[in-house]
């Protein structure tokens, strides 16, 4: 049998996590920007633009976690205790912002509480995910089959920097989503935020790219030795291209002629997506074949072949199906968000 | 008080799972009820069905949201607090949870948006399909997660590898492990009954205020049919589940019966205080031979007591004993309400059965109580193991410090209490409004519905909603 099931599963899990990051990224981003969006109507529109899809977006996180448990149980068992505090913070953030989608429509007097919970929860979740990413990149100490580090190993200047970078990235995804999905005042505001956020994200990516190779000799070798450098080369080149398109497109601030989505309203979002994917590819390039840097490889962590195969049979049918009906759900709610829509 | 990381992790799991179970117990039943309502509306064209659908979908949205967020916490807690368990059982249980995500969570989440917001965009038929998908998703989710839980109770189809992991050898045996079919049926029926009693209580509440409230009468009637027809089935299913437990986890049965000594002609204890230290059940009030009759179908059948098992393996008998009795008592109270409703129908209709309405209001939360008590019985009856007889709870926990678990426990406690307290309040407030009134703000599907004035709805505003929106 020539199929490397562990590799295949690593690719599927990587895809799930990427799907999570970009999808929940924009709805978390809307939460991060929420207090800056202005009056009630503007906030209603912003929230309505993601309300039909946020739950599906977050399900990719459950697939990332559940999938990890299923196919790389050792990695799950090491990484989660290692990132204990950021994970708990993320979960609590997700609770607070998740319920806000419903609760803020159920009360007049208490709406400000849930607006605040939506902002606070989204911000905490974004920061915690960024910190968790940084902690993973800087490496996790393992002994035997368990995490061997301390309870605050995740807290370093590097992880703080990645936390802030991801917060900025999500906010930018949110802002560019709003440019695409809304009109009028909300859209104008989103454009105003998108410009500084775009510069900040590009700066963050630069800092991250320069800093990372110094954390770990393997990263340095992978990026700056021959011939692996050649394989890596497209990543920075395409990143530069995406960054240029992003910065150029957020500057063009013409109003939309009608309620369709014009090209210049889509491009900032697509360029931000491209940046996220490229950074993700870069991190993957640094990690591979480790799943817990730099001690556990995907083959060390993989569950027995019968587990991998059993779930793969279902996943190969179900994941395309999920993508199809998720795409359908997005298509149903295509175009600009309508004011006052919904069942509330 | 000095608690170990293990105690704290157990407390955290007990707290977060208990908070979580309320939401699925309600949303599994409510999703199916919504599908029935919308199906009946499409079939009959009767306005009242869509009116009830619109009424319950808002409540569903709030409850479902709380279920989602408390569920995400569960899916990560296995790793944070129970990493050794995750490493050892991941190859067997992980794929089942993976299937739960792939078949159920995505289905629910993907179609929930269309169900809540999309009726104008997709039309009534596709919308009905979305509702069916959401309802089907909740049932699939129950299927997989109950398979996981049942495997922990009655593990099958596995071997151990050299890393100390459980590895699958027969997936069919893993998924359909011995206790799974019983637990699945028992839990799905429990979810349906939980919802039925909530719906019944809301209907009864509004009928007490206005007996001419047609939509409330309809939902009350539907709920009472469920109570009358499903409760007997549930009691029978529970009995079979109990016999299955006797076969595979006799020690749990001994704890449920407060039986310390193996004997024949075992009485059924109606009351008692089991004392593990002394090895006796004090203050017992008993019905002679009844436990033998129930468990062995013979008056002098022999039932194993806790003395047949090592002392170190005993569960917390007092907890198992009482949670079981509460569940059973609630079950019979449900049956009584169901029978009462049949008599009331026969004697001239449900609209004027005031005392039945009052009883139904009182029984509104009964399903939640029974579900919680039942889960406490089966879960604490599994202790001191996570994988019954094979992996001890003490050997499942992460190597974490007590302060880390304690702080996360406090954080969950505060956030859950605030958030789910508020959510429950909002749900109650929605319920306090009659489905017969206030359709003006749900205008997204007016074309399908003739405008109905709300006749006789004066005075129908519940106390809770008088100061709300």
């Amino acid at each position: 049998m020539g199929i490397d099931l562990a590799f295949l599963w690593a690719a599927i899990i990587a895809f799930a996590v990427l799907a999570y990051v970009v999808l929940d990224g924009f709805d978390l981003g809307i939460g991060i920007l929420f207090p800056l969006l202005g009056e009630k109507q503007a906030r209603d529109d912003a929230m309505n633009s993601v309300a039909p899809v946020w739950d599906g977006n977050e399900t990719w996180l459950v697939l990332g976690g559940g999938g990890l448990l299923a196919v790389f149980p050792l990695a799950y068992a090491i990484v989660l205790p290692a990132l204990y505090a950021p994970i708990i913070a993320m979960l609590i953030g997700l609770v607070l912002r998740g319920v806000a989608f419903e609760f803020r429509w159920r009360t007049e007097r208490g709406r400000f509480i849930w607006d605040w919970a939506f902002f606070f929860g989204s911000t905490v979740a974004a920061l915690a995910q960024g910190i968790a990413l940084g902690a993973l990149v800087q490496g996790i100490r393992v002994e035997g089959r368990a995490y061997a580090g301390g309870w605050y190993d995740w807290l370093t200047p590097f992880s703080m920097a990645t936390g802030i970078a991801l917060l900025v990235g999500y906010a930018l995804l949110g802002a560019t989503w709003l440019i695409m999905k809304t009109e009028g005042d909300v859209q104008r505001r989103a454009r105003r935020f998108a410009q500084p956020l775009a510069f900040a994200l590009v700066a963050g990516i630069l800092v991250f790219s320069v800093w990372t190779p110094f954390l770990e000799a393997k990263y340095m070798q992978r990026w700056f030795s021959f011939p692996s450098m050649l394989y890596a080369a497209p990543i920075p080149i395409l990143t530069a291209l995406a960054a240029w398109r992003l910065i150029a497109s957020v500057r063009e601030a013409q109003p939309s002629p009608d309620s369709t989505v014009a090209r210049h309203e889509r491009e900032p979002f697509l360029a931000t997506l491209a940046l996220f994917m490229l950074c993700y590819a870069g991190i993957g390039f640094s990690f591979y074949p480790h799943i817990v840097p730099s001690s556990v490889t995907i083959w060390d962590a993989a569950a027995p072949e019968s587990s991998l195969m059993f779930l793969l049979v279902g996943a190969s049918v179900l994941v395309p199906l999920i993508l199809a009906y998720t795409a359908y759900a997005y298509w149903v709610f295509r175009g600009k968000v309508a004011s006052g829509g919904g069942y509330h | 008080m000095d608690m170990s990381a293990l105690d704290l992790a157990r407390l955290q799991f007990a707290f977060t799972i208990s908070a979580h179970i309320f939401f699925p117990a309600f949303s599994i039943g409510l999703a199916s009820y919504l599908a029935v309502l919308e199906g009946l509306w499409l079939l009959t064209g009767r306005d009242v069905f869509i009116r009830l659908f619109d009424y319950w979908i808002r409540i569903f949205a709030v409850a479902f949201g709380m279920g989602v967020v408390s569920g995400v916490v569960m899916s990560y807690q296995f790793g944070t607090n129970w990493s050794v368990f995750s490493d050892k059982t991941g190859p067997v249980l992980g794929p089942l949870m993976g299937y739960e995500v792939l078949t159920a969570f995505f289905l629910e989440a993907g179609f929930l948006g269309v169900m809540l917001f999309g009726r104008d965009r997709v039309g009534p038929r596709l919308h009905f399909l979305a509702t069916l998908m959401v309802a089907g998703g909740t049932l699939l989710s129950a299927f997989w997660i109950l398979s996981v839980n049942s495997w922990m109770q009655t593990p099958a189809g596995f071997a151990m590898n050299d890393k100390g992991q459980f590895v699958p050898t027969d997936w069919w045996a893993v998924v359909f492990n011995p206790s799974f079919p019983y637990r699945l049926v028992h839990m799905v029926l429990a979810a349906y009954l939980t919802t039925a009693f909530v719906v019944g209580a809301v209907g009864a509440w509004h009928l007490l205020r206005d007996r001419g409230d047609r939509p409330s009468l309809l939902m009350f009637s539907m709920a009472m049919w469920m109570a009358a027809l499903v409760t007997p089935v549930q009691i029978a299913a529970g009995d079979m589940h109990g016999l299955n437990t006797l076969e595979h986890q006799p020690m749990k049965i001994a704890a449920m019966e407060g039986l310390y000594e193996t004997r024949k002609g075992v009485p059924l204890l109606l009351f008692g205080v089991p004392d593990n230290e002394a090895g006796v059940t004090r203050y017992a009030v008993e019905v002679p031979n009844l436990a033998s009759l129930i468990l062995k179908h013979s008056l002098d059948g022999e039932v194993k007591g806790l003395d047949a098992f090592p002392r170190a393996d005993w569960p917390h008998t007092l907890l198992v004993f009482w949670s079981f009795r509460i569940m059973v008592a609630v079950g019979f109270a449900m049956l009584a309400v169901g029978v009462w409703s049949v008599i009331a129908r026969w004697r001239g209709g449900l609209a004027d059965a005031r005392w039945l309405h009052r009883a139904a209001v009182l029984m509104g939360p009964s399903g939640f109580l029974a579900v919680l008590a039942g889960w406490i019985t089966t879960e604490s009856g599994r202790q001191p193991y996570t994988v019954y007889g094979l992996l001890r709870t003490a050997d499942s926990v992460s190597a974490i410090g007590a302060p880390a678990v304690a702080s996360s426990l406090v954080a969950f406690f505060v956030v859950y209490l605030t958030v789910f307290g508020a959510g429950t309040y909002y749900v109650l407030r929605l319920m306090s409004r009659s489905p017969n009134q206030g359709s003006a703000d749900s205008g997204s599907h007016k074309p399908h519905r003739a405008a109905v004035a709300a006749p006789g709805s004066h005075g129908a505003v519940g106390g809770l909603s008088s100061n709300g929106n």
Side-chain angles (χ1 to χ4, degrees), chain A residues 61 70 76 84 106-107 114 145 151 306-307 310 314 325 332 343, chain B residues 61 75-76 81 87 91 94 99 107 116 121 168 400 426 429:
Chain A
L61 180 68
Y76 182 84
Y84 198 89
R106 300 274 73 97
T107 171
W114 302 114
R145 297 179 73 79
W151 293 106
S306 69
S307 303
F310 177 66
Y325 64 66
V332 166
Y343 68 102
Chain B
S75 73
Y76 277 82
N81 288 352
D87 178 28
Y99 269 109
L107 198 64
L116 294 181
R121 289 172 182 255
I400 34 172
Y426 294 141
R429 198 156 74 174

mmCIF file of all heavy atoms in Angstrom, chain A residues 61 70 76 84 106-107 114 145 151 306-307 310 314 325 332 343, chain B residues 61 75-76 81 87 91 94 99 107 116 121 168 400 426 429:
data_model
loop_
_atom_site.group_PDB
_atom_site.id
_atom_site.type_symbol
_atom_site.label_atom_id
_atom_site.label_comp_id
_atom_site.label_asym_id
_atom_site.label_seq_id
_atom_site.Cartn_x
_atom_site.Cartn_y
_atom_site.Cartn_z
ATOM 1 N N LEU A 61 -13.610 24.431 13.857
ATOM 2 C CA LEU A 61 -12.749 24.345 15.044
ATOM 3 C C LEU A 61 -12.983 23.020 15.763
ATOM 4 O O LEU A 61 -12.047 22.392 16.260
ATOM 5 C CB LEU A 61 -13.051 25.514 15.990
ATOM 6 C CG LEU A 61 -12.235 25.557 17.280
ATOM 7 C CD1 LEU A 61 -10.777 25.856 17.002
ATOM 8 C CD2 LEU A 61 -12.807 26.595 18.239
ATOM 9 N N ALA A 70 -9.008 12.115 17.006
ATOM 10 C CA ALA A 70 -9.268 10.869 16.303
ATOM 11 C C ALA A 70 -8.020 10.315 15.622
ATOM 12 O O ALA A 70 -7.743 9.129 15.717
ATOM 13 C CB ALA A 70 -10.366 11.076 15.264
ATOM 14 N N TYR A 76 -2.926 15.644 20.303
ATOM 15 C CA TYR A 76 -4.029 16.258 21.052
ATOM 16 C C TYR A 76 -3.714 16.231 22.546
ATOM 17 O O TYR A 76 -3.889 17.224 23.254
ATOM 18 C CB TYR A 76 -5.295 15.457 20.744
ATOM 19 C CG TYR A 76 -6.582 15.923 21.379
ATOM 20 C CD1 TYR A 76 -7.342 16.939 20.804
ATOM 21 C CD2 TYR A 76 -7.066 15.318 22.537
ATOM 22 C CE1 TYR A 76 -8.549 17.338 21.363
ATOM 23 C CE2 TYR A 76 -8.269 15.702 23.105
ATOM 24 C CZ TYR A 76 -9.007 16.723 22.520
ATOM 25 O OH TYR A 76 -10.203 17.107 23.079
ATOM 26 N N TYR A 84 -2.858 25.135 27.944
ATOM 27 C CA TYR A 84 -4.030 25.104 28.823
ATOM 28 C C TYR A 84 -4.717 26.466 28.948
ATOM 29 O O TYR A 84 -5.896 26.618 28.620
ATOM 30 C CB TYR A 84 -3.605 24.598 30.204
ATOM 31 C CG TYR A 84 -4.746 24.125 31.066
ATOM 32 C CD1 TYR A 84 -5.173 22.809 31.005
ATOM 33 C CD2 TYR A 84 -5.405 24.987 31.933
ATOM 34 C CE1 TYR A 84 -6.217 22.350 31.790
ATOM 35 C CE2 TYR A 84 -6.450 24.546 32.720
ATOM 36 C CZ TYR A 84 -6.856 23.228 32.642
ATOM 37 O OH TYR A 84 -7.889 22.791 33.410
ATOM 38 N N ARG A 106 -32.738 39.706 22.173
ATOM 39 C CA ARG A 106 -33.779 39.325 23.115
ATOM 40 C C ARG A 106 -34.001 40.372 24.202
ATOM 41 O O ARG A 106 -34.802 40.171 25.096
ATOM 42 C CB ARG A 106 -33.452 37.973 23.754
ATOM 43 C CG ARG A 106 -33.314 36.813 22.771
ATOM 44 C CD ARG A 106 -34.655 36.167 22.462
ATOM 45 N NE ARG A 106 -35.510 36.984 21.612
ATOM 46 C CZ ARG A 106 -35.625 36.867 20.300
ATOM 47 N NH1 ARG A 106 -34.940 35.960 19.657
ATOM 48 N NH2 ARG A 106 -36.427 37.654 19.627
ATOM 49 N N THR A 107 -33.250 41.444 24.171
ATOM 50 C CA THR A 107 -33.391 42.453 25.209
ATOM 51 C C THR A 107 -33.042 43.834 24.670
ATOM 52 O O THR A 107 -32.118 43.977 23.870
ATOM 53 C CB THR A 107 -32.506 42.127 26.433
ATOM 54 O OG1 THR A 107 -32.512 43.227 27.312
ATOM 55 C CG2 THR A 107 -31.087 41.780 26.032
ATOM 56 N N TRP A 114 -24.563 42.491 25.836
ATOM 57 C CA TRP A 114 -24.213 41.445 24.860
ATOM 58 C C TRP A 114 -23.386 42.011 23.726
ATOM 59 O O TRP A 114 -22.586 41.289 23.122
ATOM 60 C CB TRP A 114 -25.472 40.722 24.393
ATOM 61 C CG TRP A 114 -26.177 40.140 25.576
ATOM 62 C CD1 TRP A 114 -27.389 40.496 26.071
ATOM 63 C CD2 TRP A 114 -25.650 39.168 26.490
ATOM 64 N NE1 TRP A 114 -27.658 39.794 27.213
ATOM 65 C CE2 TRP A 114 -26.619 38.971 27.496
ATOM 66 C CE3 TRP A 114 -24.453 38.436 26.559
ATOM 67 C CZ2 TRP A 114 -26.432 38.077 28.559
ATOM 68 C CZ3 TRP A 114 -24.272 37.539 27.612
ATOM 69 C CH2 TRP A 114 -25.251 37.373 28.587
ATOM 70 N N ARG A 145 5.077 10.460 26.690
ATOM 71 C CA ARG A 145 3.872 10.735 25.925
ATOM 72 C C ARG A 145 3.099 11.913 26.501
ATOM 73 O O ARG A 145 1.884 11.978 26.390
ATOM 74 C CB ARG A 145 2.971 9.494 25.884
ATOM 75 C CG ARG A 145 3.622 8.313 25.175
ATOM 76 C CD ARG A 145 2.727 7.094 25.161
ATOM 77 N NE ARG A 145 1.601 7.223 24.248
ATOM 78 C CZ ARG A 145 1.675 7.064 22.930
ATOM 79 N NH1 ARG A 145 2.821 6.804 22.350
ATOM 80 N NH2 ARG A 145 0.595 7.176 22.176
ATOM 81 N N TRP A 151 3.540 25.767 33.368
ATOM 82 C CA TRP A 151 2.202 26.270 33.072
ATOM 83 C C TRP A 151 2.192 27.610 32.372
ATOM 84 O O TRP A 151 1.177 28.047 31.877
ATOM 85 C CB TRP A 151 1.334 26.288 34.342
ATOM 86 C CG TRP A 151 1.134 24.874 34.700
ATOM 87 C CD1 TRP A 151 1.711 24.186 35.720
ATOM 88 C CD2 TRP A 151 0.425 23.920 33.918
ATOM 89 N NE1 TRP A 151 1.393 22.863 35.632
ATOM 90 C CE2 TRP A 151 0.605 22.671 34.543
ATOM 91 C CE3 TRP A 151 -0.324 23.984 32.745
ATOM 92 C CZ2 TRP A 151 0.048 21.496 34.027
ATOM 93 C CZ3 TRP A 151 -0.885 22.817 32.250
ATOM 94 C CH2 TRP A 151 -0.696 21.603 32.887
ATOM 95 N N SER A 306 -6.228 1.323 11.345
ATOM 96 C CA SER A 306 -7.674 1.040 11.257
ATOM 97 C C SER A 306 -8.489 2.265 11.673
ATOM 98 O O SER A 306 -9.567 2.500 11.147
ATOM 99 C CB SER A 306 -8.034 -0.172 12.116
ATOM 100 O OG SER A 306 -7.892 0.129 13.479
ATOM 101 N N SER A 307 -7.958 3.063 12.626
ATOM 102 C CA SER A 307 -8.665 4.289 13.009
ATOM 103 C C SER A 307 -8.632 5.303 11.877
ATOM 104 O O SER A 307 -9.631 5.940 11.556
ATOM 105 C CB SER A 307 -8.026 4.909 14.253
ATOM 106 O OG SER A 307 -8.010 3.997 15.308
ATOM 107 N N PHE A 310 -10.908 4.063 9.017
ATOM 108 C CA PHE A 310 -12.340 4.097 9.344
ATOM 109 C C PHE A 310 -12.909 5.507 9.164
ATOM 110 O O PHE A 310 -13.970 5.701 8.570
ATOM 111 C CB PHE A 310 -12.529 3.626 10.790
ATOM 112 C CG PHE A 310 -13.949 3.684 11.286
ATOM 113 C CD1 PHE A 310 -14.933 2.869 10.743
ATOM 114 C CD2 PHE A 310 -14.302 4.542 12.321
ATOM 115 C CE1 PHE A 310 -16.237 2.905 11.219
ATOM 116 C CE2 PHE A 310 -15.604 4.592 12.806
ATOM 117 C CZ PHE A 310 -16.570 3.770 12.240
ATOM 118 N N GLY A 314 -15.393 7.787 5.714
ATOM 119 C CA GLY A 314 -16.479 8.757 5.857
ATOM 120 C C GLY A 314 -16.078 10.145 5.408
ATOM 121 O O GLY A 314 -16.827 10.828 4.699
ATOM 122 N N TYR A 325 -22.773 21.860 0.810
ATOM 123 C CA TYR A 325 -23.925 22.539 1.409
ATOM 124 C C TYR A 325 -23.545 23.804 2.155
ATOM 125 O O TYR A 325 -24.360 24.704 2.312
ATOM 126 C CB TYR A 325 -24.845 21.603 2.209
ATOM 127 C CG TYR A 325 -24.316 20.910 3.435
ATOM 128 C CD1 TYR A 325 -23.959 21.605 4.578
ATOM 129 C CD2 TYR A 325 -24.253 19.519 3.472
ATOM 130 C CE1 TYR A 325 -23.529 20.941 5.714
ATOM 131 C CE2 TYR A 325 -23.828 18.847 4.610
ATOM 132 C CZ TYR A 325 -23.450 19.567 5.723
ATOM 133 O OH TYR A 325 -23.029 18.912 6.849
ATOM 134 N N VAL A 332 -27.093 31.187 -0.556
ATOM 135 C CA VAL A 332 -28.443 31.641 -0.182
ATOM 136 C C VAL A 332 -28.376 33.076 0.358
ATOM 137 O O VAL A 332 -29.249 33.894 0.090
ATOM 138 C CB VAL A 332 -29.072 30.687 0.863
ATOM 139 C CG1 VAL A 332 -30.302 31.322 1.516
ATOM 140 C CG2 VAL A 332 -29.458 29.370 0.213
ATOM 141 N N TYR A 343 -35.344 36.459 11.443
ATOM 142 C CA TYR A 343 -36.561 36.008 12.105
ATOM 143 C C TYR A 343 -36.786 36.718 13.424
ATOM 144 O O TYR A 343 -37.772 36.483 14.078
ATOM 145 C CB TYR A 343 -36.450 34.503 12.365
ATOM 146 C CG TYR A 343 -35.401 34.204 13.392
ATOM 147 C CD1 TYR A 343 -35.756 33.912 14.706
ATOM 148 C CD2 TYR A 343 -34.063 34.295 13.060
ATOM 149 C CE1 TYR A 343 -34.777 33.696 15.654
ATOM 150 C CE2 TYR A 343 -33.100 34.078 13.997
ATOM 151 C CZ TYR A 343 -33.461 33.772 15.295
ATOM 152 O OH TYR A 343 -32.510 33.579 16.233
ATOM 153 N N ALA B 61 -33.660 28.870 18.763
ATOM 154 C CA ALA B 61 -32.416 29.559 18.404
ATOM 155 C C ALA B 61 -31.596 29.888 19.644
ATOM 156 O O ALA B 61 -30.374 29.699 19.670
ATOM 157 C CB ALA B 61 -32.721 30.831 17.616
ATOM 158 N N SER B 75 -15.654 19.534 23.763
ATOM 159 C CA SER B 75 -14.785 18.864 22.800
ATOM 160 C C SER B 75 -13.302 19.166 23.055
ATOM 161 O O SER B 75 -12.442 18.437 22.598
ATOM 162 C CB SER B 75 -15.169 19.229 21.364
ATOM 163 O OG SER B 75 -14.785 20.543 21.075
ATOM 164 N N TYR B 76 -13.031 20.255 23.784
ATOM 165 C CA TYR B 76 -11.629 20.548 24.094
ATOM 166 C C TYR B 76 -11.228 20.106 25.497
ATOM 167 O O TYR B 76 -10.048 19.946 25.794
ATOM 168 C CB TYR B 76 -11.328 22.033 23.882
ATOM 169 C CG TYR B 76 -11.045 22.312 22.428
ATOM 170 C CD1 TYR B 76 -12.077 22.492 21.528
ATOM 171 C CD2 TYR B 76 -9.746 22.326 21.961
ATOM 172 C CE1 TYR B 76 -11.839 22.689 20.190
ATOM 173 C CE2 TYR B 76 -9.485 22.523 20.618
ATOM 174 C CZ TYR B 76 -10.528 22.708 19.736
ATOM 175 O OH TYR B 76 -10.269 22.887 18.414
ATOM 176 N N ASN B 81 -7.997 18.584 30.304
ATOM 177 C CA ASN B 81 -8.002 17.964 31.627
ATOM 178 C C ASN B 81 -7.815 16.452 31.617
ATOM 179 O O ASN B 81 -7.446 15.871 32.624
ATOM 180 C CB ASN B 81 -9.320 18.271 32.349
ATOM 181 C CG ASN B 81 -9.406 19.709 32.789
ATOM 182 O OD1 ASN B 81 -8.433 20.447 32.690
ATOM 183 N ND2 ASN B 81 -10.559 20.109 33.253
ATOM 184 N N ASP B 87 -5.228 10.252 24.942
ATOM 185 C CA ASP B 87 -4.164 9.514 24.263
ATOM 186 C C ASP B 87 -4.523 8.039 24.180
ATOM 187 O O ASP B 87 -4.374 7.404 23.134
ATOM 188 C CB ASP B 87 -2.849 9.714 25.033
ATOM 189 C CG ASP B 87 -1.694 8.947 24.421
ATOM 190 O OD1 ASP B 87 -1.715 8.717 23.191
ATOM 191 O OD2 ASP B 87 -0.763 8.559 25.164
ATOM 192 N N PRO B 91 -7.728 6.508 19.636
ATOM 193 C CA PRO B 91 -7.881 5.683 18.430
ATOM 194 C C PRO B 91 -9.260 5.040 18.298
ATOM 195 O O PRO B 91 -9.714 4.757 17.193
ATOM 196 C CB PRO B 91 -6.799 4.603 18.613
ATOM 197 C CG PRO B 91 -5.764 5.256 19.465
ATOM 198 C CD PRO B 91 -6.526 6.153 20.417
ATOM 199 N N GLY B 94 -12.027 8.695 19.218
ATOM 200 C CA GLY B 94 -11.825 9.860 18.361
ATOM 201 C C GLY B 94 -12.583 9.775 17.048
ATOM 202 O O GLY B 94 -13.309 10.702 16.682
ATOM 203 N N TYR B 99 -16.885 11.410 13.408
ATOM 204 C CA TYR B 99 -18.119 11.198 12.650
ATOM 205 C C TYR B 99 -19.251 12.084 13.166
ATOM 206 O O TYR B 99 -20.105 12.520 12.397
ATOM 207 C CB TYR B 99 -18.529 9.721 12.676
ATOM 208 C CG TYR B 99 -17.947 8.947 11.519
ATOM 209 C CD1 TYR B 99 -16.925 8.019 11.709
ATOM 210 C CD2 TYR B 99 -18.409 9.169 10.230
ATOM 211 C CE1 TYR B 99 -16.383 7.329 10.640
ATOM 212 C CE2 TYR B 99 -17.873 8.485 9.151
ATOM 213 C CZ TYR B 99 -16.849 7.567 9.360
ATOM 214 O OH TYR B 99 -16.305 6.897 8.291
ATOM 215 N N LEU B 107 -23.978 19.471 9.590
ATOM 216 C CA LEU B 107 -25.326 19.453 9.040
ATOM 217 C C LEU B 107 -26.215 20.449 9.783
ATOM 218 O O LEU B 107 -26.930 21.254 9.172
ATOM 219 C CB LEU B 107 -25.895 18.031 9.169
ATOM 220 C CG LEU B 107 -27.097 17.682 8.310
ATOM 221 C CD1 LEU B 107 -26.743 17.734 6.837
ATOM 222 C CD2 LEU B 107 -27.629 16.295 8.667
ATOM 223 N N LEU B 116 -33.176 29.563 10.180
ATOM 224 C CA LEU B 116 -33.514 30.744 10.970
ATOM 225 C C LEU B 116 -33.779 31.972 10.109
ATOM 226 O O LEU B 116 -34.635 32.789 10.418
ATOM 227 C CB LEU B 116 -32.382 31.075 11.950
ATOM 228 C CG LEU B 116 -32.108 30.076 13.075
ATOM 229 C CD1 LEU B 116 -30.970 30.591 13.952
ATOM 230 C CD2 LEU B 116 -33.350 29.847 13.918
ATOM 231 N N ARG B 121 -35.875 33.523 1.316
ATOM 232 C CA ARG B 121 -34.931 33.362 0.216
ATOM 233 C C ARG B 121 -35.064 32.032 -0.501
ATOM 234 O O ARG B 121 -34.771 31.940 -1.691
ATOM 235 C CB ARG B 121 -33.492 33.513 0.730
ATOM 236 C CG ARG B 121 -33.161 34.936 1.108
ATOM 237 C CD ARG B 121 -31.805 35.001 1.783
ATOM 238 N NE ARG B 121 -31.496 36.365 2.185
ATOM 239 C CZ ARG B 121 -30.620 37.134 1.544
ATOM 240 N NH1 ARG B 121 -29.978 36.675 0.500
ATOM 241 N NH2 ARG B 121 -30.401 38.347 1.962
ATOM 242 N N PRO B 168 -8.828 -0.152 17.872
ATOM 243 C CA PRO B 168 -10.017 -0.836 17.369
ATOM 244 C C PRO B 168 -9.657 -2.131 16.654
ATOM 245 O O PRO B 168 -8.663 -2.195 15.935
ATOM 246 C CB PRO B 168 -10.606 0.174 16.387
ATOM 247 C CG PRO B 168 -9.437 1.008 15.966
ATOM 248 C CD PRO B 168 -8.535 1.089 17.148
ATOM 249 N N ILE B 400 -1.791 17.871 35.355
ATOM 250 C CA ILE B 400 -1.949 19.314 35.481
ATOM 251 C C ILE B 400 -1.942 19.714 36.937
ATOM 252 O O ILE B 400 -2.229 18.909 37.820
ATOM 253 C CB ILE B 400 -3.280 19.799 34.867
ATOM 254 C CG1 ILE B 400 -4.350 18.736 35.068
ATOM 255 C CG2 ILE B 400 -3.096 20.159 33.421
ATOM 256 C CD1 ILE B 400 -5.714 19.165 34.681
ATOM 257 N N TYR B 426 -34.176 34.706 29.138
ATOM 258 C CA TYR B 426 -34.714 35.145 27.842
ATOM 259 C C TYR B 426 -35.680 34.102 27.282
ATOM 260 O O TYR B 426 -36.709 34.450 26.694
ATOM 261 C CB TYR B 426 -33.591 35.400 26.838
ATOM 262 C CG TYR B 426 -32.713 36.562 27.213
ATOM 263 C CD1 TYR B 426 -31.342 36.515 27.006
ATOM 264 C CD2 TYR B 426 -33.255 37.710 27.800
ATOM 265 C CE1 TYR B 426 -30.530 37.574 27.374
ATOM 266 C CE2 TYR B 426 -32.450 38.763 28.171
ATOM 267 C CZ TYR B 426 -31.086 38.694 27.958
ATOM 268 O OH TYR B 426 -30.290 39.734 28.323
ATOM 269 N N ARG B 429 -38.867 34.378 29.093
ATOM 270 C CA ARG B 429 -39.592 35.574 28.687
ATOM 271 C C ARG B 429 -40.290 35.369 27.345
ATOM 272 O O ARG B 429 -41.423 35.796 27.145
ATOM 273 C CB ARG B 429 -38.640 36.763 28.632
ATOM 274 C CG ARG B 429 -39.382 38.067 28.648
ATOM 275 C CD ARG B 429 -38.522 39.161 29.156
ATOM 276 N NE ARG B 429 -37.548 39.525 28.145
ATOM 277 C CZ ARG B 429 -36.721 40.564 28.288
ATOM 278 N NH1 ARG B 429 -36.750 41.287 29.386
ATOM 279 N NH2 ARG B 429 -35.864 40.854 27.348
#
